[in-house]
Amino acid sequence: MAVIVALGAFLMTLAGGWTAQRVTDRRHLVLGLAGGLMLGVVGLDLLPESLRAAGRPVFGVPLALLLFVAGFLVAHVAERLLAVRQAAHGAENGGGNGAVNGGRVPRIGLAAAAAMVGHSVADGVALGAAFQVGGGMGLTVALAVVTHDFADGFNTYTLTRLYGNARRRALWMLFADAVAPVVGAASTTLFTLPEEPLGAYLGFFGGVLLYLAAAEILPEAHHRHPALSTLMCTVGGVAGIWLVVGLAD
């Protein structure tokens, strides 16, 4: 049953990516919505879940929050190091293409998309584990996973393209993200992932997503089009995730 539901998540992920690539003439609205969806996923879904699963204190601070901050810092440091390296490489080659797309490094986009794929695998594992607990729990988790996988597909494609990657590469990452929950759900027939490591991973991943949303996607969305419509898309993205989380509970 979990694998069948995960196939629904597969289709929803593809639908999210398809939506993201079809509205290129409203790129600022796409980015505003993506930023809102990511902010909502982090604050209303990932962080509460990670605190519940890995909330034991480490020197007075919950482990999940420590890893959340670590994820934010790792994303920031990695981007700065890769940007400096890419700029130096471009200088050595007489300018070259260096960092593309306004100084953004394509590998950052791929790394972010890969993290989304890892999150989707975790979604599938959570789905399989919920069905092991009982049908009612499985259906509740299924609603959350299938619905917010639309946002995952939307964000995976948007992140990959935002950093200057080719459309073909973005589509490959989108497909990997769509397959991931199916793989995760199927894996629960072989083993059960302990709750605390899963919560720790979600905390770290939430920090990475927050950095990308706050430092990259939202500034880019408002850079050339500081319109009310863009802001409303961001607020709507957060509200949409809130609705999904509320229905799932």
Side-chain angles (χ1 to χ4, degrees):
M1 185 62 185
V3 175
I4 292 175
V5 173
L7 290 174
F10 171 87
L11 295 176
M12 285 295 284
T13 303
L14 292 180
W18 181 85
T19 301
Q21 66 173 310
R22 293 293 294 177
V23 289
T24 52
D25 58 329
R26 293 289 184 268
R27 185 169 178 267
H28 59 291
L29 299 180
V30 171
L31 293 175
L33 178 61
L37 290 172
M38 290 172 70
L39 179 58
V41 166
V42 171
L44 307 178
D45 186 15
L46 293 182
L47 264 185
E49 180 63 25
S50 64
L51 284 170
R52 184 190 64 79
R56 64 177 178 85
V58 177
F59 205 65
V61 179
L63 174 62
L65 288 183
L66 284 174
L67 290 171
F68 175 78
V69 174
F72 189 98
L73 290 175
V74 166
H76 176 58
V77 171
E79 183 186 39
R80 291 298 90 208
L81 290 177
L82 286 175
V84 169
R85 180 181 176 185
Q86 193 84 0
H89 179 72
E92 291 171 1
N93 289 278
N97 291 325
V100 298
N101 198 31
R104 291 183 170 82
V105 183
R107 280 174 292 179
I108 291 290
L110 291 178
M116 295 295 295
V117 173
H119 169 56
S120 293
V121 171
D123 278 349
V125 171
L127 184 60
F131 273 102
Q132 289 178 3
V133 172
M137 175 67 74
L139 290 176
T140 299
V141 174
L143 175 63
V145 169
V146 171
T147 307
H148 96 254
D149 271 2
F150 179 88
D152 283 353
F154 190 98
N155 290 334
T156 297
Y157 184 88
T158 301
L159 278 170
T160 311
R161 292 289 283 155
L162 177 64
Y163 281 83
N165 289 284
R167 179 175 177 271
R168 181 178 179 182
R169 186 170 289 179
L171 289 175
W172 273 112
M173 295 307 298
L174 173 64
F175 181 75
D177 189 50
V179 171
V182 181
V183 173
S187 72
T188 58
T189 62
L190 304 175
F191 68 91
T192 301
L193 184 66
E195 186 176 53
E196 188 171 25
L198 179 59
Y201 165 76
L202 291 177
F204 182 85
F205 176 60
V208 173
L209 276 191
L210 181 63
Y211 176 79
L212 294 173
E216 299 294 336
I217 290 183
L218 290 178
E220 178 69 14
H222 293 277
H223 177 58
R224 296 182 181 178
H225 298 276
L228 179 62
S229 57
T230 307
L231 180 61
M232 293 307 297
C233 282
T234 302
V235 174
V238 175
I241 296 299
W242 186 15
L243 178 62
V244 170
V245 171
L247 290 175
D249 288 342

